[in-house]
Amino acid sequence: MRFALRPRSGCLVLCLSVSLLTLLLQSLWVPPEMTREEPAGAGRSPEEQGHHGHSVRRLALRLEALSSQVQRLTRERDAPQPAKEELTNLLQSLRQDQEGLVRSVEMELQRMAQKLDSLGHQSHTPRPQDDHRPQTGLHEVCEVPEDPVYPHCAEKVEFLQARWDSDPCYAFYGVDGTTCSIMTYLSEREDFCPPRPGRNHSALPWHQQPRTHKEEAEIRTTLRPLYEVFGGIQGPAGRFIRSRVERLSACWIKAGHRIRENTTKTTSLQKRVLLYPGVLSGGAGQRFGAMVDRGGPLGELVQWADLSASLFILGHNLTFTTSQNHLHSVIGAAPGKGSCPIQRPLLFDLIYTDYHGLAHLQGAMGLAFQHYQCCFRILDSFGTEPAFNLGTYARSHGYNTLWGSWHLQPLQYMTMFPHTPDNSFLGFVSEEVMVEQEEREEEVEPGPYRKDNTAVVYGKQDYMWQGKERYLEVISQELETHGTVYQPPGHSAQLPSNIINHGLLAQDQFLQLLRRAKVFVGLGFPYEGPAPLEAIALGCVFLQPRFQPPRSSENSDFYKGKPTTRQVSSQHPYAEEFIGKPYVWTVDMTNTTDVQETVRAILRTEVKPFTPREFTSEGMLERVHAYITHQDFCSVSFPTWPPESALRIHLGPLGQSCASVCRRASLVCEPALFHHLNNPAAFTRLGLSCSSTDQEVDNHLFPAYSPWGRRCGLQRERLLFSCAGSDPAHRRLCPCRAHRAGQVALCPDCL
């Protein structure tokens, strides 16, 4: 039997049908804000939950919209605007759309029912090992335990309940906002909650030991495979690093042969090493690299090139990257913002980076950063003193800066020069003209080392020359003066008229210019770069300005904020203190008489090329090999290298640092030996009688003796053992040691 319905009645029936279907879908749609007792989508992956939830939601929303349209059209049926025929056609099309939606709903509900049935069978199926999502039961109830072994568990659960969606890495590890998923994550990926009952529990994935690597490191006789390691470095910075390694390849190979002859009795295991210069990463890296072609700083690039060559020649396995994405991949970082630990054990024994890279690693490794920070080695040109390194101490004692507070062992920071004995001196190689070229020239031009009466000025950008006109004029009266200042396209550098400017030269051309020059002239900036040593290695005399008063973080914008209290007495303190005359002359730049007399004295002096052993390729290989073999910052015990036999105890006068006390004795302060002095017996050994011994307050000057009240202070925090620092109220106990000839970093018994 058929019933003829008028349009108005048909609309009402259609609206009723649509409403019933919508209510049915809404009753089946479980929103993500589930109760704790019934976690949403338990036993399903976030992707599966999202797929089914979004499908049903979309259908419900479409039906609601359809219902609204039908009701509106019904109300407007008698209105004159739409024609009755048009309204009838529209209603027919809506009915067809409704029928299609109903069929879609039926199919979706059928798929959901099948999925729910299959989940009951899959709930006990073990998950694959590479699935990072913790599986929880459908109706599992989880209570936060009160366990004194895990005092922060409840706090962390509460935090993640409110913030679990702030970083995608939590969802990657299976957190969906429920207490069960959070506690599973906090027990199986972090270590803040106890293991959950009934679940297999083992060491945290990133705590587990990777596959043992027992291959011995053997000296390599070619650098060609290293160029493939450099393949990912793009731009001017990458070209500079590779070209430097290629230019010095013969020197590196020859030095490797000599090291192999001298270290036959000591072999070391091959290390897996990651090199990540963060300064070259991202947009900042592109800007830094672009400066290379405009006379920008090259010291960092020199170090990265020479460190890479050293490690490769010594036989270690290298990965070199300047990409943050590649960094995340090789360390196994979880996708997201870095709130979660890495997915697996770190595959590298050592990671060399810089302050920028250290921040990138912390942002990628989450909780694992502290677990692996003993593997880090930080290239830090100007040094980081212990008072700046320990965050709590720095903030409470006025040493807080943007660069410090990383809580590393101070010897993990590796400097360009041995100016901060609290850190490890890494250095670089002073580049020389190729040996083969020298031999050819000696055949043609036998006799004494020839030099022209010319000077080359140290300063590749014209702002470095400003205010130095009188100083340069005096030098130009005695020597033909050359510059290598960058000139922007279409512009000329603003230099005195008596300067012959060659523009920015390629490194090999610059070295040839130095080879003929008599003097290399410092302008006071840049500070402590590699170029003066390269000039001295090519037979130049380095003339540099004295700073009075010395430059420091208190009076210099350049040093302001840097984590050091050093007083820099000249443009290049290492050249002044460790090399000196006749190779290095330091003058008052404002005293024209002094400058003129010094230049004339230099012209009467004949010097030959000179390179301190520690800045030769062999010296650097020797030093890097010693560090890799003996330095261990992952051990909780006190260091055993250098050996105690190297210790020479000195009691400093009031107001002097241990760095200066040891230097005055022609020794070096060795922070790894401080623990031998941090006991009452050390004071007795020095003939000091202590009325009291203080170990209650942290002080980076301790161990030290105060003659007022005969108070002896011991160090409570080992990260504060410091060669730097002094005050007029304390006499410091200083661990000094001797060093090998031309190798400040190593004691005579250190190899």
Side-chain angles (χ1 to χ4, degrees), residues 45 47 52 181 192 224 247 299 370 382 433 523 578 637 708:
S45 70
E47 294 83 353
H52 292 292
S181 68
F192 290 108
R224 283 203 177 90
R247 195 165 54 248
Q370 295 181 353
F382 299 98
V433 175
L523 296 172
F578 287 84
S637 59
W708 291 275

Side-chain angles (χ1 to χ4, degrees), residues 570-588:
S570 63
Q571 181 175 355
H572 208 292
Y574 174 85
E576 179 185 12
E577 297 172 13
F578 287 84
I579 300 177
K581 293 181 180 179
Y583 304 99
V584 181
W585 298 64
T586 306
V587 296
D588 178 359

Side-chain angles (χ1 to χ4, degrees), residues 264-292:
T264 52
K265 296 181 180 179
T266 58
T267 58
S268 59
L269 293 179
Q270 185 183 74
K271 301 290 186 181
R272 295 163 295 189
V273 183
L274 172 63
L275 298 115
Y276 177 65
V279 71
L280 298 181
S281 176
Q286 293 175 356
R287 290 190 293 272
F288 181 89
M291 293 174 62
V292 172

Side-chain angles (χ1 to χ4, degrees), residues 387 390-394 396-397 399 678 694-703 713-721 730:
L390 190 64
T392 52
Y393 186 82
S396 61
H397 290 76
Y399 293 101
N678 198 42
D694 183 11
Q695 199 177 13
E696 298 302 318
V697 181
D698 290 333
N699 189 326
H700 73 287
L701 303 180
F702 288 175
L714 299 178
Q715 184 57 258
R716 184 175 62 180
E717 171 54 69
R718 61 190 292 183
L719 291 182
L720 287 177
F721 283 133
H730 287 94

Side-chain angles (χ1 to χ4, degrees), residues 121-185:
H121 300 288
Q122 295 176 2
S123 59
H124 301 293
T125 303
R127 57 178 177 171
Q129 291 184 354
D130 60 348
D131 187 357
H132 302 285
R133 298 181 294 274
Q135 306 297 314
T136 55
L138 280 172
H139 303 287
E140 192 172 4
V141 178
C142 297
E143 297 292 337
V144 181
E146 295 183 2
D147 189 335
V149 180
Y150 299 91
H152 302 292
C153 182
E155 173 189 343
K156 290 291 183 179
V157 170
E158 184 178 356
F159 171 81
L160 282 180
Q161 284 173 337
R163 300 290 305 278
W164 72 272
D165 56 353
S166 63
D167 193 325
C169 72
Y170 295 119
F172 173 77
Y173 282 133
V175 177
D176 57 14
T178 62
T179 304
C180 290
S181 68
I182 290 171
M183 289 189 60
T184 300
Y185 168 80

Side-chain angles (χ1 to χ4, degrees), residues 632-700:
D632 179 10
F633 302 115
C634 297
S635 173
V636 296
S637 59
F638 284 108
T640 58
W641 186 85
E644 187 178 0
S645 59
L647 176 63
R648 305 289 182 268
I649 303 178
H650 282 251
L651 179 65
L654 294 171
Q656 282 198 20
S657 69
C658 284
S660 61
V661 168
C662 296
R663 188 166 57 245
R664 289 176 183 273
S666 299
L667 301 172
V668 177
C669 181
E670 178 51 68
L673 298 174
F674 258 118
H675 65 95
H676 295 296
L677 308 183
N678 198 42
N679 54 70
F683 292 89
T684 304
R685 185 175 173 183
L686 291 168
L688 300 173
S689 176
C690 304
S691 63
S692 64
T693 302
D694 183 11
Q695 199 177 13
E696 298 302 318
V697 181
D698 290 333
N699 189 326
H700 73 287

